[in-house]
Amino acid sequence: NPYILATLLFGLGLGTTITFASSHWLLAWMGLEINTLAIIPLMAQHHHPRAVEATTKYFLTQATAAAMLLFASTTNAWLTGQWDIQQMSHPFPLTLITLALALKIGLAPMHTWLPEVLQGLDLTTGLVLSTWQKLAPFALLLQIQNVNPTILVTLGLASTLVGGWGGLNQTQLRKVLAYSSIAHLGWMILILQYSPSLTLLALLTYFVMTFSTFLVFKLIKSTSINALAISWTKAPILTSLTPLVLLSLGGLPPLTGFMPKWLILQELAKQDLAPLATLAALSALLSLYFYLRISYAMTLTMSPNNLTGVTPWRFSSPQLTLPLAIATTATISLL
């Protein structure tokens, strides 16, 4: 129903906006809750057991994270007597809140729900979950001052490594994209303490790249690596462009995805964290491997010779083509 859909999307936007605009922990928590409640019907709209299971898992993790956030902010108010987001001083609520937000966005080692949930959703809702739902927790993470840097660095490094290792043995595209999301978030968290503007840049480029990737998979209706081998019959032009989009996600120069990684490594080196930068760069190689594998499945394998499916690609969903064209161009040539 379009009215219900409009209401839910409005709720989604409202929740994120409230969190953006808040300087009080209760208001921020309320925004996160509205956000979660608005996306849950969107996730369960296809009454399929997998979708319902994914929605339940998502609901439980988000509720846990929100409860943890509320507990931490109440503890902070109890210990220090104020609710202001930017004036957190006590280490205990600070740590708790960081962990709660990490659980919200799916940072390792609190990441295990993300691949499972994403796998149960269709690609459009999956796209919303991978991009829009990360905005509100990120706004809070950026506002919290004086967190113990060790926590953030540990979370970030664990996420880049887990995102690399986890994606290696997946055949489902949505799970690969989930692990890719974990790895990218790891890079953002790694640099959060030292240069918040770089975190925002990485977040923005990640959004653009993920948007074009999800749209491509939606257009060629593929959810597993096997299905990509026959994608040339559905969209020959897209099939030749997609490897570039994927390699951009992996961070290969001269594509856009290289930019945030390059600047982050440079900043880490400036902060005398060369071992950390080395580990992060090596973990990016793991991610690159599974992007290469998908690219290989799409373009470098012999296509099955089915002539029945050659014509329909000209007529498929015109409303997606313009955003896809813009996103793909940005993903490949922003550097």
Side-chain angles (χ1 to χ4, degrees):
N1 186 329
Y3 292 116
I4 294 176
L5 184 66
T7 312
L8 291 175
L9 290 176
F10 174 70
L12 210 57
L14 181 72
T16 306
T17 317
I18 287 178
T19 305
F20 273 14
S22 60
S23 58
H24 190 291
W25 273 118
L26 272 184
L27 207 58
W29 167 81
M30 194 170 77
L32 291 172
E33 284 294 282
I34 293 174
N35 212 342
T36 306
L37 289 178
I39 200 172
I40 278 173
L42 290 173
M43 293 167 80
Q45 61 184 333
H46 303 289
H47 292 291
H48 189 268
R50 286 304 299 271
V52 175
E53 181 193 359
T55 312
T56 312
K57 284 178 180 172
Y58 182 76
F59 174 70
L60 290 174
T61 48
Q62 296 299 308
T64 309
M68 204 164 145
L69 188 91
L70 192 59
F71 171 67
S73 49
T74 320
T75 310
N76 179 59
W78 181 48
L79 291 170
T80 61
Q82 45 90 17
W83 286 90
D84 205 292
I85 292 178
Q86 294 189 335
Q87 293 171 2
M88 300 275 291
S89 51
H90 202 285
F92 175 67
L94 262 173
T95 310
L96 259 186
I97 278 177
T98 313
L99 291 176
L101 292 171
L103 177 60
K104 267 230 175 273
I105 52 179
L107 284 171
M110 287 85 80
H111 67 282
T112 37
W113 60 273
L114 187 58
E116 296 291 325
V117 168
L118 209 56
Q119 181 56 35
L121 306 179
D122 64 320
L123 288 167
T124 323
T125 324
L127 174 62
V128 173
L129 183 69
S130 304
T131 54
W132 186 257
Q133 292 298 92
K134 306 262 188 273
L135 280 172
F138 246 96
L140 293 176
L141 275 172
L142 281 164
Q143 284 183 73
I144 305 175
Q145 317 283 312
N146 51 30
V147 185
N148 184 356
T150 326
I151 296 173
L152 288 178
V153 164
T154 312
L155 285 172
L157 202 57
S159 298
T160 53
L161 288 166
V162 162
W165 279 122
L168 289 180
N169 59 349
Q170 301 297 335
T171 57
Q172 296 292 326
L173 290 177
R174 284 166 295 186
K175 279 195 175 170
V176 167
L177 286 169
Y179 281 110
S180 142
S181 170
I182 294 166
H184 278 272
L185 289 171
W187 280 85
M188 294 169 214
I189 294 295
L190 214 48
I191 200 69
L192 188 66
Q193 279 278 294
Y194 308 106
S195 170
S197 52
L198 269 186
T199 298
L200 278 176
L201 176 77
L203 189 66
L204 195 65
T205 46
Y206 163 73
F207 275 13
V208 172
M209 296 186 296
T210 309
F211 186 70
S212 47
T213 315
F214 267 98
L215 277 193
V216 165
F217 291 155
K218 186 176 166 59
L219 262 176
I220 56 184
K221 299 184 177 65
S222 304
T223 52
S224 71
I225 294 186
N226 284 349
L228 290 177
I230 51 168
S231 62
W232 69 276
T233 56
K234 298 173 187 170
I237 304 165
L238 270 184
T239 308
S240 55
L241 272 180
T242 313
L244 288 175
V245 173
L246 288 165
L247 293 177
S248 182
L249 261 174
L252 210 66
L255 306 163
T256 311
F258 176 55
M259 175 171 53
K261 292 195 170 163
W262 181 22
L263 294 170
I264 285 172
L265 290 175
Q266 187 185 5
E267 183 62 36
L268 286 174
K270 275 184 195 162
Q271 301 282 350
D272 288 337
L273 296 169
L276 194 63
T278 314
L279 271 171
L282 288 175
S283 72
L285 289 176
L286 292 168
S287 304
L288 196 59
Y289 174 78
F290 59 77
Y291 294 125
L292 268 172
R293 202 173 80 196
I294 301 176
S295 313
Y296 182 80
M298 285 194 84
T299 51
L300 301 173
T301 45
M302 288 285 287
S303 315
N305 190 13
N306 55 339
L307 293 173
T308 48
V310 176
T311 45
W313 65 271
R314 300 170 199 281
F315 314 112
S316 63
S317 42
Q319 73 273 17
L320 279 184
T321 35
L322 180 67
L324 180 60
I326 297 169
T328 309
T329 313
T331 303
I332 293 171
S333 55
L334 269 186
L335 182 64

